[in-house]
Amino acid sequence: MNRRQLFLSAGALGVIGLGAAAVAQGLQISTAAQAWLYALPLIEMATTRARMLKAPGAAINRLTHGRTLSDHAARAVTTPNNDTLYSIAFLDLSQGPATLTVPATGARYWSAAVMDMFTNNNAVLGLRTVGGEGGTFTLVGPGQPAKGPNPVRVATPHAWLLIRTLVNDAADVPAVHKVQDGIVLTGPKAPPPPAYAGRDADAASYFDSARRLLAADPAPAVDQKLLRKTAAFLGAGPFDAGAAEVGADQARMITRFAKGRQTFTDGWAYPRANLGDYGQDYIYRAIVALMGLGALPLAEAMYMKAAGDDGAGLFTGDGLYRLSLPADMPLDGFWSLSMYEATDDGQFFFTDNPLNRYAISDRTAGLKRNADGSLDLWIGRVDPGGDRTANWLPAPKTGPFAMYLRTYLPRPELLDGRFRFKPVEKV
């Protein structure tokens, strides 16, 4: 088996419950691999930025609104949701702050995540933190004066603004468009960013891009220990090309094999407490950047991945599965169960299906509840028929698949582990 086959044999990777210690257990990670993993969030952010700036009308410091819910054709970001419409902007605050104005939304869920280039959520403005009255906020880069209403400090000169607005059903889309039209972002005119290598580039190109990205968006002071250790690859000067390639291969292998290092509790991988704000948990940060870029912190949302047939996050069976949910879900927002097909490189995207149903949620029309108000959701490749069809989440016709349960504004009992969901069971 050659090295590429070895990587692919590890299969797809689900990471929301994975931590750095679990990944590294038993591994001697080379300095080059550590450098590659440290830089991966920057690389993924730059890749996503370049892809999204190709959209008509897109520009730095300008909002682009998604007007339709994500479906099986949406391949820009792994593990998309089918619950909200996105409004997206990549920011350049190096020449001054940007101003974000959000209209009143009432009780509708919304969140505006401001992420630095290392994928940390520097702030989440939204229903939980701001309320439904809206407001005006000043997004301020490092070293910039905080002039303007409600300043929000951003840790890097460049950043990602990712706004989610809840859609109740198809008839609700025009109302969400009205909310989006009321969101205004203004900021200094900025040139498009230069091109950077992607994660599949050769090691020399990858580390050259990593160095340039670090120059544009310097690391925080608390990362200096790691940066000194990896200076041969992330600092100035030539580096050992052979060691760089070996390290890049090892880093990719770590991301491939990390699926087997997850911890599942009663059939679910629960997120780590530092999801969305990673500190010095560089391996976890890298893997989430690869598998769930843009993840929110736990106070805003919890993402749980089902254990699957292999106990490591993938389902492969052709039969029927069931997930039972309680009548009173432990959250103050909304929930959804999303279905994803798994790609060879470990990413997850919605799958085409006859119902055009990519998730089941508390807003899905026609769900049939049990007498006590609880729900039985039916998952499979073919229609289970009868009353079960109303609660059917279609799986891909072939190939492995994964399921994530999203819970927005989780209550304390879910956050601290007093409540656990029942596992997905094969019928």
Side-chain angles (χ1 to χ4, degrees):
M1 181 180 291
N2 63 34
R3 184 160 46 198
R4 174 172 172 78
Q5 290 172 327
L6 177 65
F7 292 158
L8 294 182
S9 72
L13 159 69
V15 302
I16 299 302
L18 179 66
V23 179
Q25 184 179 3
L27 295 176
Q28 186 65 39
I29 302 177
S30 70
T31 302
Q34 292 179 60
W36 193 97
L37 291 165
Y38 179 88
L40 184 59
L42 290 162
I43 294 288
E44 289 299 298
M45 288 283 275
T47 300
T48 302
R49 177 175 61 188
R51 184 185 302 123
M52 292 185 176
L53 286 176
K54 293 178 182 179
I60 294 293
N61 293 340
R62 181 185 301 171
L63 273 174
T64 299
H65 299 296
R67 297 298 203 177
T68 58
L69 291 170
S70 297
D71 59 15
H72 63 281
R75 302 272 160 157
V77 178
T78 185
T79 58
N81 80 53
N82 189 246
D83 305 300
T84 67
L85 292 187
Y86 293 103
S87 299
I88 294 172
F90 276 91
L91 307 175
D92 184 342
L93 306 175
S94 61
Q95 303 305 309
T99 301
L100 174 67
T101 299
V102 180
T105 58
R108 182 187 301 277
Y109 175 86
W110 70 281
S111 64
V114 184
M115 286 169 281
D116 63 33
M117 288 296 284
F118 293 88
T119 68
N120 293 302
N121 285 267
N122 294 169
V124 181
L125 310 170
L127 187 64
R128 176 179 63 89
T129 56
V130 173
E133 293 77 18
T136 297
F137 309 90
T138 306
L139 310 179
V140 186
Q144 296 288 340
K147 296 180 179 179
N150 300 312
V152 176
R153 281 288 180 186
V154 185
T156 53
H158 304 89
W160 187 14
L161 174 64
L162 181 55
I163 303 174
R164 299 166 171 89
T165 308
L166 181 64
V167 178
N168 291 313
D169 53 32
D172 189 41
V173 170
V176 178
H177 288 173
K178 186 176 179 179
V179 172
Q180 290 180 309
D181 293 340
I183 303 173
V184 178
L185 175 70
T186 59
K189 187 175 181 180
Y196 297 99
R199 67 175 179 272
D200 295 326
D202 61 88
S205 299
Y206 182 96
F207 285 122
D208 173 72
S209 290
R211 289 175 172 187
R212 291 188 290 123
L213 285 163
L214 282 167
D217 291 285
V222 292
D223 288 356
Q224 290 307 304
K225 181 177 179 180
L226 187 282
L227 289 175
R228 284 194 295 269
K229 182 177 181 179
T230 59
F233 302 97
L234 297 179
F239 56 80
D240 184 330
E245 285 292 351
V246 171
D249 283 349
Q250 185 189 31
R252 294 188 184 103
M253 183 178 69
I254 288 169
T255 64
R256 295 294 196 275
F257 278 91
K259 74 159 192 171
R261 306 286 182 170
Q262 288 177 277
T263 299
F264 289 89
T265 302
D266 296 331
W268 295 95
Y270 288 85
R272 289 173 56 86
N274 60 338
L275 179 66
D277 191 6
Y278 305 96
Q280 284 67 60
D281 200 344
Y282 306 124
I283 297 180
Y284 184 49
R285 184 182 70 182
I287 297 172
V288 175
L290 178 64
M291 308 309 305
L293 188 70
L296 288 164
L298 266 60
E300 198 69 27
M302 286 183 67
Y303 315 105
M304 283 73 68
K305 188 181 184 189
D309 299 320
D310 62 356
L314 288 180
F315 293 85
T316 56
D318 295 330
L320 190 63
Y321 299 84
R322 177 175 59 200
L323 172 62
S324 297
L325 296 176
D328 182 21
M329 293 284 278
L331 50 96
D332 294 319
F334 62 93
W335 64 267
S336 66
L337 179 70
S338 298
M339 168 64 65
Y340 299 104
E341 59 185 50
T343 66
D344 285 343
D345 64 351
Q347 296 195 306
F348 300 97
F349 300 105
F350 290 133
T351 188
D352 195 12
N353 67 86
L355 296 184
N356 294 322
R357 177 180 284 177
Y358 308 102
I360 280 186
S361 73
D362 54 353
R363 289 147 288 118
T364 300
L367 287 180
K368 296 186 180 298
R369 292 185 174 270
N370 301 320
D372 62 358
S374 63
L375 273 173
D376 288 328
L377 305 181
W378 303 97
I379 301 107
R381 302 186 193 275
V382 297
D383 187 341
D387 289 343
R388 294 177 174 180
T389 299
N391 295 10
W392 175 40
L393 181 60
K397 293 180 181 179
T398 60
F401 59 93
M403 286 183 284
Y404 283 86
L405 181 62
R406 288 177 167 86
T407 57
Y408 281 73
L409 308 185
R411 294 175 185 162
E413 61 267 31
L414 180 53
L415 287 167
D416 64 22
R418 283 175 289 154
F419 175 90
R420 295 298 190 189
F421 287 100
K422 293 182 178 180
V424 176
E425 57 182 357
K426 197 164 187 176
V427 179

